[in-house]
Amino acid sequence: MNIITLLLPYQPPWDWQQFHSHFALRAIPGLESLSAASYSRGFMIDGVPGWLQVMPLAGQNALELRCRVTSPAHLDHVEQRVRRMFDLDSEPETIVRHLSRDALLAPLLQRNPGLRLPVAFDPFEQAVRAIVGQQVAVKAAVTIVGRLVQRAGAPIETPQAVGISHLFPTPQAIAEADLAGIGMPGKRVQCLQHFAACIADGRLQLSLQDGSAALIEQLCALPGIGPWTAHYIALRAFGEADAFPASDLGLLKAPVWGAEGIDARRLQLRAEAWRPWRAYAAAHLWHNYSGG
């Protein structure tokens, strides 16, 4: 397997620091590695392991992708996933123009015109993270997912990518793993393993082939998965531009709403005017909530 280097262009503005901050909070030790100017991870495609590294290029509107894959078909797959992961195909001017019609959002957009949607490399991985992250802090969820990776993920050797030792567990591995003492309530463990079993045996297809509304409905039909989790999976697993987890605390308590915040029902109604870019509005509200 040779190391291949590609340039991935994008339309500015685009901000590496946004993605670095996102991954700094969420990177799983052993699965992902983050430095000041690079993001690396292991992955599996068609049962074959590989690794990748992404770096911003100074003075160029492009990222550099270095990866180790076994076939040209896998290279195309990795390139598409990385473009989605770093939201390189977004049209910032169109989105800003539409969302700026809202007087409260307009100043946020003016301050951060290049804000994008960080998306997971793998949809199943993101769905697992979302289920684990129900009603717990991001740091706690990262700790639990890290245990899951160590307990059920296959080891990988990546001499060129320091700090990467494991792949994310397969659906079957999670469905069959002994998760006793992993740090989650029993009902959430049951929810996670039932979800993983549905993916493993084909009862649930984790895709947007029939549209995001259909996927969200299918996810909500599973025990233990509600609208917040389903919308968050659509947003973070696929970059669905109109997904909107209206009950999210960060959206409801963003400073833009004032000291009292806003309730989910009023936010949902206001967000109707943001379609089809509600997920980008969410990105700006989350940034506002975190002090941006």
Side-chain angles (χ1 to χ4, degrees):
M1 290 191 290
N2 295 323
I3 297 173
I4 300 169
T5 302
L6 296 175
L7 289 186
L8 308 181
Y10 56 79
Q11 180 181 337
W14 183 93
D15 183 11
W16 164 254
Q17 195 54 51
Q18 180 204 354
F19 287 86
H20 187 277
S21 299
H22 176 84
F23 292 121
L25 283 175
R26 295 167 178 83
I28 306 298
L31 174 72
E32 301 167 289
S33 178
L34 188 69
S35 74
S38 71
Y39 167 88
S40 306
R41 65 166 295 133
F43 60 84
M44 179 89 77
I45 296 178
D46 295 336
V48 180
W51 64 266
L52 63 84
Q53 182 180 63
V54 178
M55 293 175 286
L57 293 174
Q60 298 187 53
N61 297 323
L63 301 183
E64 180 179 281
L65 167 64
R66 298 174 70 237
C67 60
R68 194 169 185 179
V69 294
T70 57
S71 78
H74 291 176
L75 180 61
D76 290 343
H77 197 63
V78 171
E79 181 180 0
Q80 290 170 18
R81 286 200 185 191
V82 171
R83 291 197 67 84
R84 184 179 68 189
M85 189 178 186
F86 290 89
D87 199 12
L88 301 183
D89 296 316
S90 177
E91 299 175 1
E93 289 183 10
T94 301
I95 295 166
V96 168
R97 193 182 310 120
H98 180 78
L99 294 179
S100 290
R101 296 171 187 167
D102 188 304
L104 284 178
L105 282 186
L108 307 185
L109 293 148
Q110 192 169 9
R111 283 204 299 269
N112 302 287
L115 215 59
R116 305 277 178 121
L117 290 181
V119 174
F121 178 80
D122 179 74
F124 174 71
E125 177 184 320
Q126 178 55 57
V128 169
R129 288 175 181 245
I131 292 169
V132 170
Q134 291 173 346
Q135 300 178 336
V136 300
V138 172
K139 186 176 181 181
V142 167
T143 298
I144 295 168
V145 175
R147 293 172 187 155
L148 189 64
V149 167
Q150 295 296 323
R151 196 176 293 194
I156 179 177
E157 293 185 9
T158 57
Q160 300 93 339
V162 177
I164 296 173
S165 59
H166 284 75
L167 299 169
F168 196 79
T170 64
Q172 185 173 354
I174 291 179
E176 297 175 353
D178 178 2
L179 300 185
I182 202 161
M184 287 193 294
K187 283 192 174 180
R188 194 164 304 140
V189 170
Q190 290 174 9
C191 168
L192 176 62
Q193 293 195 295
H194 177 67
F195 166 76
C198 288
I199 299 295
D201 65 20
R203 279 176 285 168
L204 177 65
Q205 299 293 323
L206 202 56
S207 80
L208 295 186
Q209 186 173 341
D210 297 323
S212 61
L215 175 62
I216 288 167
E217 184 179 345
Q218 289 174 314
L219 288 169
C220 287
L222 297 176
I225 295 182
W228 178 88
T229 306
H231 274 269
Y232 196 76
I233 289 170
L235 191 156
R236 290 286 189 217
F238 297 99
E240 168 53 46
D242 204 39
F244 194 72
S247 63
D248 185 89
L249 182 66
L251 301 183
L252 300 176
K253 298 298 183 183
V256 71
W257 306 122
E260 297 301 314
I262 191 172
D263 62 65
R265 181 178 170 277
R266 283 193 298 144
L267 179 59
Q268 189 106 43
L269 289 172
R270 187 172 189 128
E272 284 299 306
W274 304 339
R275 289 183 183 272
W277 308 111
R278 292 186 303 172
Y280 286 90
H284 282 275
L285 291 172
W286 277 322
H287 194 64
N288 180 237
Y289 178 69
S290 64

